[in-house]
Amino acid sequence: KTISGGVQLQKLQMAGKSKQEALARIVPVNIQRHVLYNPFTNYSYFLNSALLYVMLYLFVFLSSIYTLGNELKKGTGINLLETSGNSVRMAITGKLFPYTIIFSGFALLINILLYQVEGMPLNGEYWMIFTGQFITIVTYQLMALIFLGVTSNLRLALSLASAYSMMAITFSGLTYPLEAMPKIAQIFATLFPFTWWEKLMISQSLRGAPPKEALVYICYILIFLLISLLFLPVFKQHLGQEKYWGKK
């Protein structure tokens, strides 16, 4: 096309057209192409961020289940309640808060690796990304209440949580566009906090979307957190009743 355009340019100029007029005849519309969801055409930005974050949230999830489920397995739940003044909220806060700080530190380390070492673009607001990370970490910690409340079994809860976490990366729309999936798969994808975290990260890091778009994704993540809090009475009951103790 370049050679053909050059020949046409010379012919039009020989016919009396100016160079600008000739170029307008050869290329009447200047095409500008933009890649919407991968504007840097660098797939490593997607894969590296997704794999690092999914591993972070996986360890957050499993460690929280183990930390809380161990009280049921060892039958020390009643002691935990007595220590916390019979407040299950205080008990869970005391058990999980140190891990919240540790995993938030790991999130900062991942950010340094991605944005400083690898050079991943940051076109949005970093404070919004870290806020989303912190909320997602706390959400996955509290979701341990759901799995322990439903199963009251440490081993089963860990197994189900592992499968749940691995399915999250499959249905997040990372490797295959969510919009192209069957409707049932799109609905299923909404059942994972990681789906909304991934959308938040891409919108703020790669696309430079306004913060109000990220707030929508944070609200979706908070729905999982609120649902988890509904299982507080169930977990308190498990801690205080001997029939739920000793299950592996």
Side-chain angles (χ1 to χ4, degrees):
K1 291 184 177 180
T2 303
I3 295 175
S4 176
V7 173
Q8 293 182 48
L9 177 64
Q10 293 181 6
K11 290 176 63 176
L12 290 171
Q13 285 181 311
M14 291 174 62
K17 301 289 184 182
S18 67
K19 185 175 182 180
Q20 187 175 10
E21 291 176 328
L23 287 173
R25 291 281 299 273
I26 297 171
V27 187
V29 178
N30 186 20
I31 300 176
Q32 294 185 358
R33 183 173 61 186
H34 301 279
V35 183
L36 292 179
Y37 299 105
N38 190 359
F40 299 92
T41 61
N42 189 333
Y43 210 54
S44 69
Y45 293 155
F46 287 85
L47 290 179
N48 290 344
S49 61
L51 291 176
L52 288 172
Y53 287 127
V54 79
M55 292 303 296
L56 172 65
Y57 298 139
L58 173 64
F59 281 110
V60 170
F61 199 14
L62 296 183
S63 65
S64 301
I65 291 176
Y66 183 82
T67 301
L68 298 178
N70 220 24
E71 300 291 341
L72 298 177
K73 178 183 176 182
K74 294 182 177 180
T76 55
I78 192 69
N79 298 329
L80 179 63
L81 288 176
E82 291 175 355
T83 303
S84 61
N86 202 38
S87 172
V88 67
R89 294 179 179 85
M90 185 64 67
I92 291 175
T93 301
K95 293 286 288 185
L96 297 183
F97 182 72
Y99 298 102
T100 305
I101 301 301
I102 292 172
F103 285 120
S104 297
F106 278 115
L108 290 173
L109 177 60
I110 291 174
N111 292 340
I112 293 173
L113 291 175
L114 289 176
Y115 298 117
Q116 300 297 325
V117 178
E118 185 183 0
M120 183 173 172
L122 179 59
N123 297 318
E125 300 291 341
Y126 176 76
W127 66 268
M128 183 61 72
I129 291 177
F130 184 73
T131 300
Q133 287 174 326
F134 182 80
I135 293 175
T136 306
I137 287 172
V138 175
T139 298
Y140 269 107
Q141 285 185 303
L142 292 179
M143 283 182 67
L145 297 173
I146 300 177
F147 284 73
L148 289 171
V150 171
T151 65
S152 66
N153 185 304
L154 176 59
R155 181 173 58 184
L156 181 57
L158 287 172
S159 298
L160 293 176
S162 298
Y164 177 82
S165 300
M166 289 299 99
M167 285 191 293
I169 193 171
T170 303
F171 288 94
S172 65
L174 175 70
T175 56
Y176 189 81
L178 189 61
E179 293 77 9
M181 293 182 184
K183 194 65 178 179
I184 185 65
Q186 296 182 32
I187 296 174
F188 192 67
T190 62
L191 303 179
F192 305 96
F194 185 77
T195 299
W196 307 110
W197 155 251
E198 192 67 24
K199 289 181 176 293
L200 186 156
M201 188 276 295
I202 292 175
S203 72
Q204 289 301 298
S205 181
L206 300 182
R207 294 198 289 112
K212 63 180 181 180
E213 180 179 314
L215 288 175
V216 175
Y217 301 136
I218 288 179
C219 288
Y220 282 124
I221 297 173
L222 287 174
I223 292 175
F224 292 90
L225 188 149
L226 294 176
I227 294 174
S228 301
L229 292 177
L230 296 178
F231 283 81
L232 280 172
V234 178
F235 186 67
K236 183 178 182 179
Q237 182 184 29
H238 289 183
L239 289 176
Q241 296 186 13
E242 188 175 352
K243 65 180 180 179
Y244 297 108
W245 301 347
K247 296 181 180 181
K248 296 182 179 181

